[in-house]
Amino acid sequence: MKWNIFLIMFLTVANFCFAQENRSKADNYFYGYEYQKAIEAYIKEAKKKPLSDAQRLNLADAYFKMGAYENASKIYMDSNKKDTIMSVHRFNKMLQSLSKTSDRERVVTFLKTKSSSLTSELLENATFNYELMSGGEANLSFDLFNLSINSPQADTSPAFYKDQLLFSSSRHQDNKNTYVPTGEAYLDIYTAPIDENGGVSNATTFSKIPSSNFHKSTPFYSEKLNNIFYILSNTNDGEMAFDDNWKNALAIGVVSSSGQFRFLLKDLSTSFYYPFFDAESERLYFAANFDDSYGGTDIYYVTTNNGQVMSAPTNLGPRINSPGNEISPFLFNGDFYFSSDVFYGLGGMDVYKSTVMADGGHSIPVNLGEGINTEKDDFGFIIKERGNDTYSGYLASNRAGGKGGDDIYGFTINGIPGLKTFALRGKAFNSTSGTGIGQAQITIQDTTGAVIIESYSKADGSFSLEIPWQEGVTITASKEKHSVFFMALTPDEMKNVQESPFEIGFVLLDDLVEEREEQTVLKLNKFYFDKGKSIVNTAIAAELDKVVETVRKFPEIRLAIASHTDSRGGSSTNLKLSQDRSNAILAYLLKQGVSQTNIIEALGYGEEKLTNKCVNGAYCLEFLHKQNERTLIKVMR
């Protein structure tokens, strides 16, 4: 039994013969979850007449369910080429099948051919996780153990409840009806005490929620509200309630400490799974199969006030949700855990971790790796701190060696599971106007200077990069005709910059220059040397510091220094004085760290290039002579 016992149990009809008059025998097997019989029947039917597109995809799904991934991938790939009724959910199954029968390079190559039709987040998530999983095992020691409470039936969805563990099970009870599609009992919620080592035993039916003859599952206890959230079959007067298509879905209900029950989310055509209440944000997270899903079941949230729903459901978006199924959200210490059967995982359902960013978004979900995850289904992950940087928790899995279908496993671990990452999110903008700058190149390098990741800002200037954790990085950003951004970060600084949006301010070179005397020069306030002197005074230094800053922002810039005097005094004396002044400016800039390669020349022109008619012997007012005494820092393009 796999995690999708929920999909089987909660998306069924009252009568399996309903609307089957247009189905073939193979279709009936398929929709009755008898996949091996469906395969055999479809093959027989195909010999008589070609299968419809829908039937071929049913056959692919049946192969997929039975682990015949090569056969499944061939049909999926053929259907994808024909552009028939292939859904995004089946697209994920196709890639899962390819992942199990081919090397990752083939999957990556295929993804590149479809990049225009896939979300950028999906491609980034896949690339990042493929790189992580090829980089070796996580450096954490953990102990995983099967709990004594497990039965031969499905045991899933562990949840902390004070000093106890709540969980769901389809084990048989004398007073419970058998659910026909699975041959097991309707799901019910159980409780068992947790010992000091994390072991759990002596499970009993949980009595603090109203009794029901139908499904009750995936509990979550909110310590803040002292309420218990869980999912249950939609009923009407004690009987199952169905929509117009005879579908019985699952609702989310809540029971208060006084035992009062109320529905929170209920829709006869929509199934809800795995409620999780975050006390800090007062968000109620859950999985559901709404029409705006990115694939199968997606994770959503609603805002609440003291547990009362106050908003419409919000999809967490393509950073978390994928063409596959996402379930079992769980928040712990700023990390968002969930399970997904997206194609780049280790098996079926895998547990992932994503950091909740300062702006409310999520970092790239990271696969928790082997041990926590297997080639089978691993889901329902929960964790809490035990002390001394040790953590314990539970998850459900149908991995080999269990007692039944899905079993619950406990674990202890000497740190937060999952590879630590460095996530950088923010905006590139013009420091003068504040407008976003698109297509700015942003690069992160390690301490040796090797490039780890390179990306570009979006049209509005926003960007998001994530890498495996490094003990120090350098961030650079650039764009043609804009300043260069450079920042080296220590590990402590890396932690700090993740706590708020990272801003990269650019200066446009055009904003720093002007046209004077038919040449491009830096915008500087006019400055004067003391009469007959070539010493850089305080006022001159203040302007030259602007040149230093410009070179720092534009390290490839090439400048030329041109000093001029007025016509008073001898021409040879003026020529030498202007050269001395250019040399003094050059010396100052070099002393402040400007490279010699940035200054291609430093010349004095004396009185050769007067800007007015104040030549030798002409009478001119002082301000006219001052017009001729000038220094220009020319930009050599």
Side-chain angles (χ1 to χ4, degrees):
M1 182 81 58
K2 296 185 177 182
W3 78 272
N4 56 14
I5 182 176
F6 296 110
L7 298 185
I8 295 174
M9 288 184 168
F10 306 144
L11 298 176
T12 188
V13 297
N15 187 333
F16 288 105
C17 295
F18 178 79
Q20 292 183 1
E21 60 271 14
N22 294 323
R23 292 178 179 171
S24 70
K25 186 176 181 179
D27 292 334
N28 290 333
Y29 282 136
F30 178 80
Y31 290 110
Y33 314 110
E34 297 182 82
Y35 298 117
Q36 184 57 48
K37 290 183 179 179
I39 292 171
E40 295 168 0
Y42 277 129
I43 293 174
K44 288 182 179 179
E45 292 177 9
K47 293 178 179 179
K48 298 178 180 178
K49 67 174 183 177
L51 299 178
S52 67
D53 290 339
Q55 288 178 316
R56 281 180 54 77
L57 287 171
N58 285 348
L59 176 58
D61 287 347
Y63 278 130
F64 184 88
K65 294 289 186 181
M66 298 305 297
Y69 299 115
E70 186 169 349
N71 290 337
S73 65
K74 288 178 180 177
I75 300 175
Y76 287 137
M77 291 289 284
D78 184 57
S79 296
N80 185 67
K81 290 177 184 176
K82 293 180 180 178
D83 193 23
T84 59
I85 57 173
M86 177 80 99
S87 66
V88 290
H89 188 49
R90 280 189 166 119
F91 179 79
N92 182 68
K93 287 183 180 180
M94 179 185 72
L95 293 178
Q96 281 182 295
S97 300
L98 281 178
S99 297
K100 294 175 184 296
T101 58
S102 309
D103 57 31
R104 287 175 180 167
E105 283 304 314
R106 185 183 177 194
V107 180
V108 172
T109 300
F110 181 80
L111 284 174
K112 289 179 180 178
T113 66
K114 297 292 183 180
S115 60
S116 60
S117 60
L118 302 175
T119 66
S120 60
E121 290 87 351
L122 177 65
L123 297 173
E124 291 168 354
N125 290 359
T127 301
F128 192 77
N129 277 277
Y130 278 144
E131 291 177 356
L132 289 185
M133 287 186 285
S134 64
E137 298 180 357
N139 186 28
L140 286 176
S141 173
F142 65 90
D143 177 38
L144 192 76
F145 52 92
N146 190 293
L147 300 184
S148 64
I149 58 171
N150 289 313
S151 71
Q153 288 75 40
D155 300 292
T156 65
S157 57
F160 296 116
Y161 175 67
K162 301 179 180 179
D163 59 352
Q164 302 173 54
L165 185 74
L166 299 180
F167 66 98
S168 306
S169 179
S170 61
R171 62 189 64 188
H172 291 287
Q173 300 180 56
D174 292 339
N175 62 338
K176 278 285 186 181
N177 295 328
T178 298
Y179 187 67
V180 176
T182 64
E184 300 183 3
Y186 284 94
L187 286 168
D188 207 345
I189 297 174
Y190 293 78
T191 182
I194 302 174
D195 65 32
E196 60 182 9
N197 297 316
V200 182
S201 58
N202 302 321
T204 58
T205 305
F206 190 54
S207 61
K208 294 188 179 296
I209 55 178
S211 61
S212 169
N213 292 326
F214 306 109
H215 295 305
K216 296 181 292 182
S217 186
T218 62
F220 176 77
Y221 170 65
S222 168
E223 185 175 358
K224 177 181 178 180
L225 299 177
N226 198 17
N227 288 349
I228 298 168
F229 300 86
Y230 67 105
I231 58 176
L232 69 163
S233 298
N234 283 315
T235 57
N236 185 17
D237 293 330
E239 297 297 328
M240 275 196 171
F242 299 91
D243 68 5
D244 293 339
N245 295 316
W246 287 89
K247 178 190 292 184
N248 174 254
L250 197 73
I252 294 180
V254 62
V255 174
S256 67
S257 57
S258 63
Q260 183 179 3
F261 170 84
R262 58 189 169 91
F263 283 106
L264 287 181
L265 295 169
K266 181 178 181 180
D267 184 332
L268 293 181
S269 299
T270 301
S271 289
F272 301 90
Y273 317 95
Y274 283 95
F276 173 85
F277 180 77
D278 177 43
E280 182 177 350
S281 66
E282 292 200 81
R283 288 179 174 178
L284 177 65
Y285 292 87
F286 57 90
N289 59 341
F290 289 122
D291 291 339
D292 67 348
S293 163
Y294 286 88
T297 58
D298 280 5
I299 297 177
Y300 296 78
Y301 72 84
V302 291
T303 58
T304 71
N305 183 4
N306 199 34
Q308 183 67 45
V309 175
M310 303 297 290
S311 73
T314 298
N315 190 300
L316 287 190
R319 181 59 73 196
I320 297 296
N321 294 314
S322 76
N325 295 287
E326 282 70 44
I327 59 170
S328 58
F330 186 84
L331 271 164
F332 177 71
N333 284 357
D335 289 325
F336 186 82
Y337 297 89
F338 66 99
S339 291
S340 174
D341 64 358
V342 67
F343 61 87
Y344 50 76
L346 295 179
M349 274 283 163
D350 280 1
V351 182
Y352 291 82
K353 181 186 76 172
S354 172
T355 300
V356 180
M357 307 298 288
D359 61 1
H362 295 83
S363 67
I364 293 176
V366 174
N367 190 296
L368 292 194
E370 294 182 357
I372 293 293
N373 293 317
T374 66
E375 64 179 7
K376 298 293 186 177
D377 294 311
D378 307 284
F379 58 103
F381 179 94
I382 60 174
I383 188 172
K384 67 179 180 179
E385 189 169 4
R386 297 184 64 179
N388 298 321
D389 202 30
T390 301
Y391 302 83
S392 64
Y394 303 89
L395 77 155
S397 177
N398 65 341
R399 65 186 65 193
K403 297 178 181 178
D406 295 315
D407 279 5
I408 299 175
Y409 291 80
F411 65 85
T412 57
I413 189 169
N414 63 339
I416 295 294
L419 185 66
K420 187 178 180 181
T421 67
F422 172 62
L424 193 70
R425 300 181 68 179
K427 185 174 184 178
F429 63 97
N430 185 303
S431 297
T432 303
S433 65
T435 57
I437 295 178
Q439 289 301 301
Q441 185 183 61
I442 303 165
T443 304
I444 299 180
Q445 298 170 290
D446 63 19
T447 54
T448 69
V451 174
I452 303 172
I453 191 171
E454 185 176 273
S455 185
Y456 291 84
S457 61
K458 296 180 181 178
D460 64 353
S462 63
F463 62 86
S464 177
L465 300 90
E466 190 162 3
I467 59 171
W469 184 260
Q470 305 286 319
E471 293 303 312
V473 296
T474 298
I475 302 168
T476 59
S478 61
K479 183 172 182 177
E480 186 180 5
K481 296 184 178 180
H482 288 74
S483 57
V484 172
F485 179 90
F486 176 91
M487 180 178 287
L489 299 174
T490 65
D492 286 341
E493 290 169 334
M494 291 168 64
K495 294 176 183 177
N496 292 334
V497 300
Q498 292 186 111
E499 295 177 357
S500 58
F502 190 78
E503 296 183 339
I504 297 179
F506 282 104
V507 177
L508 181 63
L509 182 59
D510 290 348
D511 292 337
L512 301 180
V513 300
E514 60 183 351
E515 295 298 315
R516 289 181 58 185
E517 301 179 29
E518 298 183 351
Q519 52 196 346
T520 303
V521 301
L522 293 182
K523 288 181 182 178
L524 299 173
N525 294 323
K526 193 168 185 180
F527 57 81
Y528 298 98
F529 285 86
D530 294 334
K531 188 173 182 178
K533 304 288 186 181
S534 59
I535 299 173
V536 174
N537 57 36
T538 304
I540 297 173
E543 295 305 306
L544 295 182
D545 287 344
K546 297 178 183 177
V547 179
V548 175
E549 181 65 14
T550 298
V551 174
R552 187 189 68 80
K553 293 177 177 177
F554 297 88
E556 302 299 319
I557 198 170
R558 297 293 181 266
L559 303 174
I561 304 168
S563 292
H564 304 267
T565 67
D566 59 31
S567 63
R568 292 175 294 187
S571 58
S572 59
T573 300
N574 286 336
L575 183 61
K576 182 179 183 305
L577 178 61
S578 64
Q579 186 61 57
D580 289 343
R581 288 174 174 177
S582 285
N583 291 341
I585 291 172
L586 174 61
Y588 181 88
L589 294 177
L590 296 177
K591 186 177 180 181
Q592 301 307 310
V594 174
S595 172
Q596 182 70 65
T597 58
N598 294 114
I599 312 296
I600 63 173
E601 64 182 24
L603 298 176
Y605 293 91
E607 57 186 81
E608 292 178 13
K609 298 184 177 182
L610 300 178
T611 62
N612 53 37
K613 297 181 180 180
C614 294
V615 297
N616 288 332
Y619 174 77
C620 284
L621 297 174
E622 180 66 20
F623 82 91
L624 293 174
H625 282 299
K626 284 292 187 181
Q627 289 178 354
N628 291 320
E629 186 180 345
R630 65 206 186 278
T631 298
L632 302 177
I633 308 297
K634 298 186 292 185
V635 178
M636 311 303 289
R637 296 187 176 181

